[in-house]
Amino acid sequence: MRRGAERYVNEHRDGGASMTVQSVLAKTSLCRTSALGGRWYQCDDCDRLTKRHNSCGDRHCPQCSGGKRQNFSDRASKLILDGVNYYQVVFTLPEVVSTMALANRQEIAELLFHSAWKSLKKTVETEQQYELAALMVLHTWNQKLDAHWHVHALVPGAGPSLSDGGWIKARAPQVDGYEDDRQYLVDAINLRRSFRKIAVAHLQRLRKNDKLKLDGSLAYLQGDEAWEEMIDQLESKEWVSYIEPPPTESSRGEHVVRYLTRYLTGGPISDYRIIAADDHEVTFWAREGRTTGGESLQVPFTLSTSEFIRRWCLHILPKELTKTRQFGGWSNTKAEEYLAKCRASLTDADRSQAGTLDLLSDEVDSVEAEPESTLCCEHCGSESLRLTHEYEKRPWSEIFRRDSKDSPLWYRESQEKDDIRFWDGAMGEGFSEWYAWYLKSGIESARERTAPETAPESNAKAGTRQLQLF
C-alpha cells in the first residue's frame, strides 16, 4: 500500500479515490511507523534498542485488529453449545447487485443481511419447526478482489420447538418411509428461492423509495424498461447460496467461528497470499476453477500495483456499516433468554461428551496473536527486554493536520486540492487562493503575537521527547 497509494490517488482522484478511501490508505501507510508513537525497549544482553511502533487500528488494515478478532471469537464462543451441530450457510448476491453495492454500500448490506436472515428463519421454521438463531459476517470480495458481496452465517442445527418448547434437531425428510440420518438443515433449493424472492422485493423497494444511486455503468437502469428487464433476469436465474454441514462427526461450531474470525478485519487479502510485489506489479495466490475432486486450484494471479490497490479499495466500508450481526435467538436482546431455554431443553443424552469448547487453542492464537506477544530483541534475538520509553499515539486530527510532517505528502496535497475545488465551486474561482493567503497570514500573525522568548520547561521537554522518537 505504501508503494502504490500516491500513484493510485493521483490516477483516480476524480473517480474512486474519495476522501474516505484516501483516509484509509493514509492510515494504513502509517501503520507501525514512528508517526504513531510506540515503545522503546533496551536489551539486557546486547544493550541495544528495539522499537515497536503503534498500529493504526483501522479495520481494513492487514496488520491490525487482532484484538477485535479475539473479542469476536470470545463472544461467539459463548453462543456455542455442546451436543448441537452447527452449519455454515452462505448467501451470495448476483453480479449486477454486487456492482450496485459499490455506490450503495449501506443499502445493499442491509438488503443482504435482511434477505439472508428472513429466508433462513422462514425455511427453518417451516421445515424443522424450531426457533432459529444466526451469526452473520459480511464479505465483499472474491479471490481476485472483485466485488462479490456475500454473507457467511453460523446456524445451529437444533433449537427449542416453536410449539411446546421441547428440543428439536434438524432432520432430513424420509425417503420411501426410511429415516435419512445424513447431516441436514433444510432444502437448499427452497432456501435459495426464498432468498431470491425476499432480496428482489427489497431491491424494488429501494428503487421505489429513491434510495439507490444508479450512475456510471449502471446509469441505464434509471429507465423503467431497463430496470424491469434486469428484475426479470434476476427472478429467472438461480441465485447462489449453499449449506455446508459439519465435515466430520468430530467437527464443532468453533471451526466455523475460526473461519469467520479470520476474515473479520484486515481487508480482502492477507500477507501470506502475496507472492511478490514491487512498484509495478503484485502477484498473489488466488483460487481458480475446480479439479476433478471439486477442490479449487490455487494459481498465481498478477495485477498492476495501481489495479491491485483499486480492487483493494473496493472493499473499504463506511464506518457506520457493521460487518457482524446476530439474529433471532442470538440477537443482543434475546441471547441470554434463548441460551437458557436451549440448555433447559437439552437432556443429558443429547449432550456431547467432547467436553468444554476452547476457542483459544493454538490454531486460533496463530491467527490472532499480536506481534508484541513474542517480543524479542531485533539485533540479538534475546527476550530480556526492558521498557525504557513510551510515546502515546496522537489523534488522527493532529497527525493529518496540514502542517504536520507526519502526514503523507500525497495526502496533504490531495486535501489541499479538494479544498480548492470546494471553495472555488462554492464561492467562485480564485476564492480558494485568497482564503489560503488569509489562513496563512492569520496563523503567522498569531504565532508572532504569542511566541514566548523562552519556551516553558514542559514544552521544552515535550519537544525533546518528540525529537527522541521521530
Side-chain angles (χ1 to χ4, degrees):
M1 291 301 168
R2 292 189 180 104
R3 284 177 171 169
E6 180 177 4
R7 184 190 307 171
Y8 170 77
V9 170
N10 290 334
E11 291 177 356
H12 297 87
R13 183 177 286 112
D14 295 329
S18 65
M19 288 309 299
T20 298
V21 168
Q22 292 181 44
S23 175
V24 170
L25 289 175
K27 289 177 180 179
T28 54
S29 68
L30 294 177
C31 187
R32 304 188 192 279
T33 67
S34 60
L36 303 188
R39 295 156 300 285
W40 285 16
Y41 300 88
Q42 189 163 18
C43 179
D44 290 336
D45 292 332
C46 70
D47 206 36
R48 299 176 73 178
L49 291 176
T50 292
K51 302 176 184 179
R52 285 292 182 269
H53 298 121
N54 291 326
S55 59
C56 66
D58 192 277
R59 67 173 171 175
H60 303 93
C61 179
Q63 303 183 85
C64 285
S65 302
K68 294 178 182 178
R69 292 192 290 272
Q70 188 64 65
N71 289 340
F72 171 81
S73 180
D74 291 344
R75 292 198 313 273
S77 70
K78 297 176 182 178
L79 306 175
I80 304 298
L81 297 174
D82 287 344
V84 179
N85 287 330
Y86 291 88
Y87 295 76
Q88 180 182 196
V89 186
V90 182
F91 296 88
T92 303
L93 292 176
E95 183 179 357
V96 65
V97 187
S98 282
T99 303
M100 289 181 194
L102 299 179
N104 304 275
R105 285 170 165 81
Q106 190 71 47
E107 292 78 10
I108 299 301
E110 293 296 330
L111 177 151
L112 181 51
F113 277 116
H114 167 86
S115 304
W117 166 244
K118 289 294 185 182
S119 57
L120 259 177
K121 182 175 184 293
K122 177 182 178 182
T123 310
V124 169
E125 289 184 353
T126 299
E127 296 187 15
Q128 302 293 354
Q129 297 291 309
Y130 67 80
E131 187 178 348
L132 189 64
L135 172 65
M136 296 187 187
V137 176
L138 171 68
H139 289 182
T140 65
W141 57 83
N142 62 14
Q143 284 278 298
K144 296 181 180 178
L145 311 188
D146 294 311
H148 183 69
W149 282 56
H150 57 287
V151 292
H152 294 257
L154 174 67
V155 181
S161 170
L162 292 173
S163 58
D164 57 14
W167 189 251
I168 295 180
K169 288 185 177 180
R171 298 185 183 279
Q174 293 186 356
V175 179
D176 296 330
Y178 291 96
E179 190 76 24
D180 189 340
D181 60 355
R182 63 191 169 94
Q183 300 281 11
Y184 184 90
L185 183 64
V186 291
D187 186 289
I189 295 177
N190 289 343
L191 179 64
R192 193 177 301 137
R193 291 176 179 174
S194 177
F195 172 56
R196 179 184 63 189
K197 180 179 179 180
I198 295 171
V200 169
H202 194 130
L203 192 64
Q204 291 277 48
R205 288 195 299 272
L206 286 174
R207 184 175 185 267
K208 180 180 179 181
N209 296 329
D210 199 26
K211 291 185 177 181
L212 279 181
K213 297 178 183 177
L214 298 172
D215 300 318
S217 63
L218 297 176
Y220 73 97
L221 293 176
Q222 294 176 7
D224 292 342
E225 185 175 344
W227 175 266
E228 291 302 326
E229 182 178 347
M230 184 270 295
I231 293 295
D232 289 342
Q233 291 175 355
L234 289 178
E235 292 178 331
S236 63
K237 67 184 298 186
E238 287 291 335
W239 287 33
V240 178
S241 66
Y242 65 88
I243 303 168
E244 182 179 317
T248 66
E249 291 185 0
S250 62
S251 298
R252 300 195 305 214
E254 73 265 33
H255 297 147
V256 181
V257 171
R258 287 191 183 110
Y259 177 83
L260 299 182
T261 300
R262 187 171 298 157
Y263 298 102
L264 184 66
T265 59
I269 188 169
S270 302
D271 287 346
Y272 78 89
R273 285 179 55 199
I274 305 293
I275 300 172
D278 56 32
D279 292 338
H280 306 289
E281 290 183 341
V282 178
T283 301
F284 55 94
W285 294 107
R287 288 195 296 269
E288 185 176 83
R290 297 273 178 180
T291 63
T292 304
E295 293 295 326
S296 298
L297 296 172
Q298 287 275 7
V299 298
F301 185 70
T302 301
L303 295 171
S304 68
T305 300
S306 180
E307 175 62 13
F308 175 84
I309 295 178
R310 186 193 72 81
R311 294 195 188 191
W312 190 89
C313 289
L314 293 177
H315 312 290
I316 293 176
L317 301 175
K319 290 181 180 180
E320 62 273 11
L321 200 162
T322 305
K323 290 183 65 176
T324 63
R325 305 190 189 184
Q326 294 168 215
F327 296 92
W330 287 346
S331 63
N332 293 332
T333 58
K334 298 179 180 179
E336 186 175 349
E337 178 183 352
Y338 174 80
L339 290 173
K341 187 189 298 184
C342 289
R343 293 188 182 99
S345 300
L346 275 165
T347 64
D348 290 340
D350 291 323
R351 296 181 185 276
S352 168
Q353 300 301 317
T356 304
L357 299 179
D358 180 13
L359 289 184
L360 307 183
S361 63
D362 291 340
E363 184 177 345
V364 175
D365 288 344
S366 67
V367 176
E368 308 306 331
E370 290 291 294
E372 287 77 8
S373 62
T374 56
L375 181 65
C376 59
C377 178
E378 60 187 26
H379 305 287
C380 71
S382 171
E383 295 184 6
S384 300
L385 299 178
R386 291 179 290 107
L387 179 66
T388 59
H389 298 82
E390 187 168 3
Y391 305 93
E392 292 184 358
K393 178 181 173 182
R394 293 171 295 154
W396 286 114
S397 58
E398 182 178 336
I399 295 172
F400 287 155
R401 241 178 20 213
R402 299 297 168 77
D403 57 346
S404 170
K405 294 181 180 179
D406 294 321
S407 177
L409 177 61
W410 63 262
Y411 187 66
R412 299 200 302 270
E413 292 176 346
S414 182
Q415 285 180 303
E416 184 176 348
K417 290 177 181 178
D418 278 359
D419 278 354
I420 289 173
R421 284 196 293 268
F422 172 79
W423 286 114
D424 285 351
M427 306 298 292
E429 189 172 352
F431 179 83
S432 59
E433 187 176 343
W434 173 86
Y435 187 62
W437 169 86
Y438 171 78
L439 288 178
K440 183 178 180 181
S441 300
I443 292 173
E444 290 177 349
S445 299
R447 285 175 176 169
E448 291 174 0
R449 290 195 301 270
T450 60
E453 294 182 2
T454 304
E457 184 178 353
S458 60
N459 288 344
K461 288 182 179 178
T464 303
R465 210 174 161 207
Q466 187 174 3
L467 287 174
Q468 284 179 331
L469 178 61
F470 303 117

